[in-house]
C-alpha cells in the first residue's frame, strides 16, 4: 500500500533520522511500503523514510536498474562539485539549482544486513546526496542561494493554491 508523502511545512521533514539498529519485520514492511510509494510516483527516483513520516535512516531509490534500499547511509568521500537542477517529492512542482558533488562514496547497510560501500557518479551521485540530506532534515531549498529560495517558495505556494482550488 502506498504511503502518504509529507510535503513542505510538515515538521517531520526537518527532523534528523535515527540509525536502524536491526532490519526486523517492521523495517522490512516499511521498505516494502516505501518501494510501492515510489513506484506510485511516476518519474520519481528516490524516497527517504522521513518523507513518509518515519524517522529512520533509510531510503529507497530506483535509477532504472531496479529498486534498492540503503540503510544507515553515510557519505564518506566526495569529489567534483558541480551545479545541478533538482526537484523533490516533498516540494511538488519546484526545481532549484544547487551545488552537488559529481562523485560520492557511500557506506551503508543493505536490507539483508550486509555492510557495503557504493561509488556513484553523475545523476546517481546527486540522488544519493539528495536522499542523505533528507535523513538530516535538509531540503533542496536549504542548498540554493537566498534569491532562488525565495522564488522557489513563492512558486511552491502558488502551486499549492492551485492544487487546493483544483480539489475544492
Ligand atoms: Zn526529496
Amino acid at each position: 500500500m502506498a504511503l502518504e508523502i509529507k510535503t513542505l511545512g510538515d515538521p517531520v521533514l526537518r527532523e534528523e533520522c535515527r540509525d536502524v539498529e536491526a532490519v526486523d519485520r517492521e523495517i522490512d514492511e516499511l521498505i516494502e511500503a516505501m518501494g510501492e510509494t515510489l513506484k506510485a510516483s511516476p518519474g520519481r527516483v528516490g524516497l527517504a523514510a522521513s518523507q513518509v513520516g518515519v524517522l529512520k535512516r533509510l531510503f529507497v531509490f530506483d535509477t532504472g536498474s531496479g529498486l534498492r534500499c540503503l540503510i544507515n547511509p553515510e557519505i564518506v568521500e566526495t569529489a567534483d562539485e558541480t551545479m545541478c537542477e533538482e526537484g523533490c517529492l516533498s516540494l511538488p512542482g519546484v526545481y532549484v539549482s544547487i551545488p552537488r558533488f559529481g562523485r560520492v562514496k557511500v557506506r551503508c547497510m543493505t536490507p539483508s544486513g550486509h555492510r557495503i560501500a557504493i561509488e556513484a557518479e553523475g545523476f546517481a551521485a546527486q540522488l544519493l546526496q539528495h536522499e542523505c540530506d533528507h535523513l538530516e532534515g535538509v531540503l533542496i531549498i536549504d542548498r540554493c542561494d537566498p534569491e532562488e529560495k525565495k522564488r522557489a517558495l513563492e512558486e511552491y505556494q502558488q502551486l499549492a493554491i492551485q492544487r487546493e482550488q483544483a480539489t475544492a
Side-chain angles (χ1 to χ4, degrees):
M1 199 183 70
L3 304 164
E4 185 205 340
I5 297 173
K6 311 290 181 186
T7 52
L8 185 68
D10 192 313
V12 78
L13 291 172
R14 295 319 208 156
E15 300 270 333
E16 213 176 297
C17 292
R18 286 176 287 273
D19 272 347
V20 174
E21 302 294 337
V23 184
D24 54 18
R25 192 170 161 180
E26 187 194 339
I27 295 290
D28 267 337
E29 285 172 359
L30 173 65
I31 294 168
E32 198 185 320
M34 283 173 62
E36 283 170 28
T37 308
L38 183 62
K39 264 188 224 153
S41 312
R44 297 305 189 151
V45 286
L47 181 70
S50 55
Q51 290 181 280
V52 293
V54 180
L55 292 172
K56 303 272 189 195
R57 290 188 71 85
L58 68 89
F59 61 79
V60 296
F61 67 100
D62 186 348
T63 51
S65 45
L67 189 78
R68 294 188 68 177
C69 172
L70 301 192
I71 299 166
N72 302 339
E74 193 192 343
I75 296 173
V76 291
E77 279 172 38
T78 57
D80 300 344
E81 200 174 28
T82 171
M83 292 302 284
C84 295
E85 190 78 1
E86 213 163 292
C88 177
L89 273 170
S90 294
L91 288 95
V94 167
Y95 292 87
V96 290
S97 184
I98 57 174
R100 290 289 190 201
F101 293 101
R103 284 191 290 147
V104 296
K105 183 173 175 181
V106 177
R107 279 193 211 287
C108 60
M109 191 166 82
T110 67
S112 50
H114 294 104
R115 283 174 206 285
I116 58 166
I118 293 180
E119 285 182 48
E121 54 180 39
F123 181 69
Q126 184 184 355
L127 167 81
L128 294 177
Q129 290 165 84
H130 181 107
E131 302 310 329
C132 284
D133 269 357
H134 271 302
L135 304 181
E136 308 295 336
V138 173
L139 299 173
I140 50 174
I141 47 168
D142 304 327
R143 295 221 179 258
C144 61
D145 66 48
E147 277 297 300
E148 189 159 14
K149 179 173 181 172
K150 192 165 164 265
R151 197 254 322 143
L153 287 175
E154 282 167 4
E155 208 172 278
Y156 180 75
Q157 222 123 49
Q158 280 300 320
L159 289 167
I161 291 166
Q162 283 171 20
R163 267 195 298 274
E164 244 168 67
Q165 285 169 346
T167 53

